[in-house]
Amino acid sequence: MDIYQLLRSHLGNALRQRAFKSPWTYRLLRQAVAAQKKHYTWQAAHRLLLNTIDQAAAAFLQKGPVVWHNVFFPTEILYGLGVIPFAPEAAAVVATGLGIARGALRRAEGDWVSGEACSFHRLAHGCDREGYFPPPGAVVCSSHLCDTAPQSLETTAAYHGVPFYLLDVPHRQDAEALNYVARQLKGITFSLVESLRLVWDEDRFQEAIVNSNAARERLLAVNRLRQQRPACIRGEEAHGFIYPMLAGFGAATSVEVYGQLADELDRRNREQRRAVPEEKARLLWLHLRPYYPNAIFQLLEREAGAVVVFEEMSHVYWEPLDPEKPFYSLARKVLSHHGLAPMARRVEAILAMVDAYQADGIIHFAHWGCRQSTAGLRLLQDALRERGIPFLNLEGDCVDQSKYAPGATRTRLEGFLEMLL
Ligand code: SF4
């Protein structure tokens, strides 16, 4: 039974909003997941799921101030303040798995949220207004990469009547930009302390920075192990570990999960256990994947032996943080993102990934409404053509199943595989 079947069975067929607010839901769910430990191929995935249930319970049961953030905001600040972070884009993925996406998207449409906007945010809007998400005590958002998040989250903050803090990130990486972002991060941190009536705890803040560095180290170890060929983890499985990258830096639990995953990968490599019986091609995946049931990875990895050896979202693009200068180094992290500034930077990073992971081809999942990932693709395609690297731009939607066309998707993938194998 997968996690969503399990969730549905515990929450009842008609998913009631109040089930999310009952401690029994999380108690039963945790017990059920804990009992299934030995059925998990990756114990790190089991650990991650338990951590996520605990974090969801804290947010839905309002065990402390819940702060909504978009996935590019540096969460070290939130863990350092001891608040409960809640990423609506990540929660939208869970809503998709629970089968409540259709109704929530309809609600967003009814509220005049443009169908042109990214469906992660449309879905989050619908889930929130339908009462599926925990209400925020404050909302923080970074302006870099995603142009939908600032508008979507500001509207949500206004709807709930809570403070909204926007981190304005310039497209330059010079000293002035660093100071500008660092000053804002400090300002947002102490504004949260004031508006949420928190007690500032320097040690806790330092701990979040130390945790972030430790998680980074372990993720680097994971990524090094994934460079070996043949691969010992399928891309479909590895995609399950993106969550800490989007919402977990600064938490001790992310250190634990990446550490465990690195140990498991190392053991598998030494035991020569393979991701698929015969690795025929190695693929790099750009952007996110669809989160509803689909046959994409089944076709690529299990049927064709084309393993997705790395996904762009797991790329470590930043240098370690300096605990002596937390705001300055977090600003440096934000400004280091390879998707920020001229497209040449992302192209360079992707080409480096191709080399490091020995990828034979690239698939970009062009999620509907996401301009940050799709806008500069022509430049990327040109660079890949020069290097003779096959590229597929697969159009679709990560969370809106109604946009999934299984037949057309299979045809495009088969065409790509024919070129590759
Ligand atoms: S998919 Fe693109 S538009 Fe949507 S939340 Fe992510 S970055 Fe923003």
Side-chain angles (χ1 to χ4, degrees), residues 97-344:
L98 288 175
I100 55 177
R102 190 176 297 183
L105 286 168
R106 248 200 324 266
R107 168 69 195 250
E109 200 183 321
D111 286 351
W112 296 94
V113 178
S114 166
E116 301 294 310
C118 165
S119 44
F120 279 105
H121 283 281
R122 281 191 286 131
L123 180 49
H125 173 103
C127 287
D128 178 46
R129 304 313 190 266
E130 289 287 305
Y132 283 115
F133 283 178
V139 179
V140 292
C141 184
S142 172
S143 71
H144 72 303
L145 303 173
C146 178
D147 58 351
T148 312
Q151 296 156 46
S152 164
L153 293 191
E154 187 171 12
T155 312
T156 295
Y159 175 79
H160 289 282
V162 299
F164 173 71
Y165 303 104
L166 179 69
L167 176 68
D168 177 37
V169 180
H171 278 201
R172 307 187 325 266
Q173 283 82 40
D174 53 21
E176 200 186 326
L178 263 176
N179 285 328
Y180 177 60
V181 175
R183 271 201 314 274
Q184 289 180 74
L185 286 171
K186 191 171 183 181
I188 291 172
T189 302
F190 288 101
S191 298
L192 284 169
V193 169
E194 211 177 293
S195 62
L196 297 172
R197 296 197 179 88
L198 306 172
V199 178
W200 170 252
D201 182 340
E202 180 71 34
D203 291 343
R204 185 171 54 201
F205 204 78
Q206 285 293 315
E207 199 181 307
I209 300 294
V210 170
N211 285 340
S212 176
N213 282 340
R216 178 186 173 278
E217 277 306 313
R218 283 155 184 79
L219 178 55
L220 281 172
V222 165
N223 292 352
R224 274 193 299 273
L225 288 158
R226 293 183 66 192
Q227 289 169 10
Q228 298 189 17
R229 67 187 307 168
C232 66
I233 183 168
R234 286 183 290 108
E236 185 171 26
E237 299 168 306
H239 264 87
F241 293 97
I242 286 176
Y243 177 74
M245 191 73 176
L246 304 176
F249 267 79
T253 48
S254 298
V255 183
E256 207 177 85
V257 168
Y258 285 139
Q260 191 164 3
L261 181 58
D263 290 346
E264 290 184 76
L265 285 168
D266 187 36
R267 197 164 48 246
R268 283 194 170 224
N269 270 335
R270 280 189 281 105
E271 290 169 358
Q272 302 196 343
R273 288 163 72 191
R274 311 296 180 217
V276 294
E278 191 190 352
E279 182 179 289
K280 294 190 185 147
R282 296 167 65 85
L283 299 174
L284 175 65
W285 188 275
L286 305 184
H287 204 40
L288 296 160
R289 53 160 288 191
Y291 291 98
Y292 40 79
N294 68 84
I296 295 174
F297 283 86
Q298 166 74 23
L299 170 60
L300 289 173
E301 301 192 306
R302 294 182 189 260
E303 293 177 30
V307 183
V308 174
V309 290
F310 193 60
E311 57 289 330
E312 184 187 12
M313 284 289 163
S314 298
H315 175 55
V316 177
Y317 54 85
W318 70 98
E319 293 298 309
L321 306 176
D322 179 355
E324 299 290 315
K325 295 179 183 166
F327 298 111
Y328 188 81
S329 51
L330 283 171
R332 205 175 47 198
K333 177 181 177 185
V334 167
L335 289 170
S336 305
H337 198 288
H338 61 281
L340 187 65
M343 184 64 191

Side-chain angles (χ1 to χ4, degrees), residues 1-16 19-20 25 29 94-101 293 401:
M1 189 188 279
D2 80 6
I3 178 60
Y4 293 115
Q5 280 174 306
L6 197 64
L7 271 161
R8 280 195 290 264
S9 72
H10 283 279
L11 294 172
N13 282 337
L15 274 165
R16 291 180 301 270
F20 289 97
T25 300
L29 197 57
V94 180
T96 305
L98 288 175
I100 55 177
Q401 192 164 4

Side-chain angles (χ1 to χ4, degrees), residues 318-381:
W318 70 98
E319 293 298 309
L321 306 176
D322 179 355
E324 299 290 315
K325 295 179 183 166
F327 298 111
Y328 188 81
S329 51
L330 283 171
R332 205 175 47 198
K333 177 181 177 185
V334 167
L335 289 170
S336 305
H337 198 288
H338 61 281
L340 187 65
M343 184 64 191
R345 201 176 181 194
R346 186 176 179 209
V347 171
E348 195 183 319
I350 290 170
L351 291 177
M353 287 178 227
V354 167
D355 292 338
Y357 296 89
Q358 302 169 65
D360 304 305
I362 298 186
I363 296 181
H364 171 258
F365 191 72
H367 168 70
W368 175 258
C370 181
R371 283 174 283 271
Q372 72 93 4
S373 186
T374 48
L377 279 188
R378 173 56 68 82
L379 295 170
L380 174 64
Q381 274 174 292

